[in-house]
Amino acid sequence: MSILPILLHPDAHLKKVCAPIASVDAEVKALAANMLATMYDAPGVGLAGPQVGILKRILVMDCSGREEEEPNPTVIINPQIVWSSEEESVYNEGCLSLPELYEDVIRPAEVRVQFLDQTGAEREKHYKGLWATCVQHEIDHLDGVLFIDHLSRMKRSMLTKKMIKYKKDLLKEEDDG
Ligand code: NI
């Protein structure tokens, strides 16, 4: 397994609509394993294909997080949200492509998602709580949408400016070091 480099906003890959995966073959399985390793290493609770430069409809997540809970590595391929609750929830979201930035985002509190798992089997799952927020955030990535796209234009441009500076500082550190 290998840790993949995570692309940072702004990056053209993060604005693309991703293509469905035709078959869950060995290459896709290896990608899923690498994406999970990359997500745990970051660490984060979710990671989508375009964040590692793969413009395909695949995401991984694990929102189990709390001490006594067993890890629950989840691979979701070609997801479709087939139902969303009318009830909404607010969560202070972050993203591995926008490190250190967090903003409140409003989304449906619960969703039902159809997808293929890492074995290629068709699944349908009901998500609520952090899992629901996370799966919607990651599915957004597959359509070139970032959590900041749910905010006002002013907030979005402020956060984008912060990211441009963050990336510039990173480059400078690499040059100096
Ligand atoms: Ni994200």
Side-chain angles (χ1 to χ4, degrees):
M1 263 181 297
S2 41
I3 307 298
L4 309 168
I6 297 174
L7 299 177
L8 299 176
H9 171 69
D11 186 295
H13 290 91
L14 299 173
K15 301 307 293 174
K16 297 272 183 355
V17 175
C18 298
I21 287 179
S23 83
V24 181
D25 55 16
E27 198 182 322
V28 170
K29 286 174 189 171
L31 171 64
N34 288 338
M35 285 176 64
L36 278 168
T38 303
M39 178 189 81
Y40 286 123
D41 177 71
V45 295
L47 183 72
Q51 292 182 278
V52 290
I54 306 288
L55 297 179
K56 289 183 181 160
R57 303 189 80 79
I58 180 169
L59 64 93
V60 296
M61 58 177 189
D62 185 353
C63 300
S64 56
R66 314 270 146 67
E67 292 113 54
E68 291 107 46
E69 255 177 285
E70 289 290 308
N72 187 359
T74 300
V75 176
I76 291 189
I77 295 164
N78 299 344
Q80 299 253 37
I81 295 176
V82 293
W83 174 85
S84 311
S85 64
E86 267 172 48
E87 190 201 334
E88 296 180 320
S89 73
V90 183
Y91 192 85
N92 197 241
E93 293 188 23
C95 180
L96 293 175
S97 294
L98 293 97
E100 297 166 28
L101 300 178
Y102 299 88
E103 291 290 337
D104 282 352
V105 177
I106 304 168
R107 300 181 189 270
E110 299 182 27
V111 289
R112 184 169 279 280
V113 184
Q114 280 177 357
F115 59 96
L116 303 178
D117 68 15
Q118 68 273 29
T119 70
E122 282 182 35
R123 303 282 296 271
E124 182 170 318
K125 279 197 115 175
H126 190 109
Y127 287 111
K128 52 188 178 180
L130 179 56
W131 285 90
T133 294
C134 187
V135 76
Q136 291 175 83
H137 173 122
E138 301 309 330
I139 291 172
D140 268 358
H141 273 300
L142 307 182
D143 293 315
V145 174
L146 301 173
F147 79 91
I148 59 170
D149 294 321
H150 291 274
L151 309 174
S152 70
R153 183 190 292 254
M154 213 172 80
K155 242 184 191 161
R156 185 160 60 241
S157 85
M158 185 191 79
L159 294 170
T160 298
K161 276 183 198 141
K162 278 191 184 172
M163 278 306 303
I164 290 168
K165 180 171 187 312
Y166 180 93
K167 289 176 82 171
K168 229 182 239 167
D169 291 348
L170 268 188
L171 281 177
K172 221 187 277 168
E173 272 172 41
E174 279 167 21
D175 283 349
D176 294 347

